Amino acid sequence: MRILLLPVVFIAGAWASVPVRDACGEDASVVANIQESDSIQVHHGVVGETVPCYAVSVVQGGAEVRGFILGTSLPVIQEFERRRSLESRVAIPAPPPPVTGEKKIAAPLAPVGPPFEPWSGVDSRGKRFQIPQGSSKVTLVTFWSVESGAARRYVDNLRKTESEFRPRGLSSFGFMEATSVGRANSYMDDMGLEAPQALDRQRLAAKYNADTKKGTTLVLDASNNVVAISSNPAEIRDAVTRLLSSK
């Protein structure tokens, strides 16, 4: 029996897999199970989670799977955190002191991912709208599920930022997940949303690793570069403030 014990333990360890989920919660659905040897790319960490959560893409059998991994057990995630820690320690020269009476201008935000491609289509009521490049100083693109109470609260919390900064050049759009157009419009009527809202028929939420159950917003600069992505309304407001302050 002692001779067989080590091979059994070795095989069990070799077969251990890590689940890739469709959201950050532990109760989220598992979309794939992966091995450490799979081709895994870590895109970014998701803020505001109790358990560390990371947006990833994985190539399995020639196909790409996108989702979220909980925890930091995988070596590729540990390496991602190591690089991020090193980057945060890079010394940045202090800016020169501002001239008396001169308004301090915030540094522009750097892109955190590929640009958001120009989009055109119809909203949930059939009215055409588009998200072109360079049409606004700042653009918010929010992905959310009308069936999720957490996502509805998130969208409602964003409205203060939208109304406050709209006169200064902010545009806002939404892409919804819903079981039907009628159900989506019913929730929109109850919430009194002003920003154009379309059904996410092209699965853009998956492309940008957005958690629709919590609500996730992309912050775009004037060139449609994604300079921030978060499910925290305070972080979205901070990014908008910094972008408009750098103009």
Side-chain angles (χ1 to χ4, degrees), residues 95-96 98-99 102-108 241-247:
V99 179
E102 180 181 353
K103 183 179 180 180
K104 186 177 180 180
I105 299 176
T241 302
R242 291 181 60 185
L243 271 179
L244 292 176
S245 297
S246 65
K247 302 299 180 181

Side-chain angles (χ1 to χ4, degrees), residues 221-243:
D221 64 12
S223 299
N224 273 26
N225 292 312
V226 179
V227 296
I229 175 171
S230 178
S231 297
N232 185 333
E235 292 183 352
I236 297 302
R237 178 183 176 82
D238 179 66
V240 171
T241 302
R242 291 181 60 185
L243 271 179

Side-chain angles (χ1 to χ4, degrees), residues 62-217:
E64 183 182 57
V65 177
R66 287 178 173 264
F68 300 86
I69 290 179
L70 302 182
T72 59
S73 61
L74 286 180
V76 67
I77 290 179
Q78 294 170 5
E79 175 62 17
F80 171 82
E81 286 292 358
R82 186 189 70 81
R83 292 198 310 269
R84 187 162 68 170
S85 176
L86 289 175
E87 290 171 357
S88 67
R89 296 173 188 172
V90 175
I92 301 176
V99 179
T100 303
E102 180 181 353
K103 183 179 180 180
K104 186 177 180 180
I105 299 176
L109 295 173
V112 297
F116 187 86
E117 297 179 3
W119 184 93
S120 63
V122 297
D123 65 13
S124 61
R125 303 185 190 280
K127 183 179 179 180
R128 296 200 63 83
F129 76 93
Q130 58 181 347
I131 310 176
Q133 182 176 343
S135 62
S136 301
K137 295 180 179 178
V138 182
T139 302
L140 302 185
V141 180
T142 299
F143 300 95
W144 61 292
S145 169
V146 301
E147 311 293 340
S148 168
R152 294 196 299 271
R153 288 190 296 273
Y154 170 78
V155 170
D156 191 57
N157 288 334
L158 277 182
R159 295 173 65 183
K160 183 177 180 180
T161 297
E162 293 171 346
S163 60
E164 179 178 347
F165 291 98
R166 188 176 295 114
R168 295 175 56 185
L170 173 71
S171 295
S172 183
F173 305 92
F175 288 95
M176 305 177 293
E177 288 184 353
T179 55
S180 67
V181 174
R183 190 166 178 81
N185 288 336
S186 176
Y187 276 111
M188 287 177 57
D189 290 341
D190 290 341
M191 298 171 68
L193 298 182
E194 299 179 6
Q197 305 287 327
L199 294 181
D200 188 11
R201 302 184 188 279
Q202 297 170 316
R203 295 184 57 81
L204 294 177
K207 178 178 179 180
Y208 291 97
N209 291 307
D211 187 347
T212 58
K213 294 180 180 179
K214 294 176 61 177
T216 303
T217 299

